[in-house]
Amino acid sequence: MPIPAPAPVPTPAVTPAPGTPPAPARRVQEGRPPCEIRRASLADAPALVAIEQATFKGDRISRRQFRYLLTRGNSETLVCDRDGRLVAYVLVLFSKATSTARLYSIAVMPEHGGQGIGRALVGAAEAAAQSRERAYMRLEIRRDNAPSRGLFESLGYRELGVYDDYYEDHMQAVRYEKSLAPQLNPDL
C-alpha cells in the first residue's frame, strides 16, 4: 500500500541573472509527488544495495544489514518507486526506550537528484515516525555534504552538535534534530 506523500512545499520562483542559461526542466510537477513512496520489502534488498553502491563511497549498508532491518529490525524503510524502478530510499530506526526516531540513512540515485525525491522521502519518514508516536527526528550528516545539510535545514532541522571522526574516512558528522510534535514545548 502506498504511503501518502507529504503536502507539496511551494517552490519560490527564481529569476535567472541576465545572460544565464535557463535551468533544466524539473520532473516534479506542482502538487504531484515525484514518485510512489511505499514500504520496502525483502524483495527490494538488491535494489537498496545498488542504491547504496551508486550513492556512497564508504559507510555503506550491506545486503545482510538490509535483510535484518527489513525483517527483524525496529525500523521502517521507505522507497521511491519511479516507473517500477527503485531510485531512492530512507531508513528510520526506532527505539522502544525513547520518543526520538533516528533517520539512519537516505539515498537518492545521483541521476535523480534535485527532483524533490529527498524532500518527499523525508516527509514520509517524518509521517512514519509520527505514526509511531515519536516526538523528534534526529540524524547525522557528513560535514562536507552541503546539499543534504541544506535540505534538512530548509525542512526545519536544527544543528545539535558535531561529532569528530564519525565516518569511515574520519570525516566529522553534524547532528540535526527536528520536533515532530510542535505542540509539545520542551523548554517548559
Side-chain angles (χ1 to χ4, degrees), residues 124-141:
E126 289 174 354
Q130 288 170 323
S131 74
R132 292 191 186 209
E133 299 180 350
R134 296 311 195 266
Y136 300 94
M137 179 82 80
R138 284 190 182 159
L139 69 146
E140 294 82 29
I141 303 173

Side-chain angles (χ1 to χ4, degrees), residues 41-53 63 66 70 86:
S41 71
L42 192 54
D44 294 321
L48 292 167
V49 171
I51 294 168
E52 281 285 298
Q53 295 293 322
R63 179 184 302 264
F66 272 122
L70 291 169
L86 299 189

Side-chain angles (χ1 to χ4, degrees), residues 131-182:
S131 74
R132 292 191 186 209
E133 299 180 350
R134 296 311 195 266
Y136 300 94
M137 179 82 80
R138 284 190 182 159
L139 69 146
E140 294 82 29
I141 303 173
R142 289 177 61 91
R143 181 175 276 296
D144 63 352
N145 189 343
S148 185
R149 292 181 64 194
L151 169 66
F152 283 94
E153 289 169 5
S154 77
L155 293 171
Y157 285 78
R158 64 185 179 91
E159 189 175 320
L160 284 184
V162 175
Y163 296 91
D164 290 327
D165 200 24
Y166 187 85
Y167 290 98
E168 189 177 273
D169 64 353
H170 310 289
M171 174 58 64
Q172 292 178 321
V174 181
R175 175 168 271 186
Y176 285 90
E177 180 181 78
K178 179 179 179 179
S179 172
L180 302 178

Side-chain angles (χ1 to χ4, degrees), residues 5-79:
V9 178
T11 305
V14 177
T15 305
T20 304
R26 293 177 58 159
R27 289 187 61 184
V28 178
Q29 294 178 4
E30 195 67 36
R32 185 174 159 209
C35 58
E36 177 189 348
I37 297 175
R38 62 172 176 79
R39 286 183 180 87
S41 71
L42 192 54
D44 294 321
L48 292 167
V49 171
I51 294 168
E52 281 285 298
Q53 295 293 322
T55 308
F56 300 117
K57 293 178 182 172
D59 292 295
R60 296 181 183 126
I61 301 172
S62 70
R63 179 184 302 264
R64 182 177 185 176
Q65 290 167 319
F66 272 122
R67 287 180 61 83
Y68 174 80
L69 291 165
L70 291 169
T71 58
R72 292 188 291 268
N74 191 11
S75 64
E76 182 124 7
T77 304
L78 304 171
V79 295

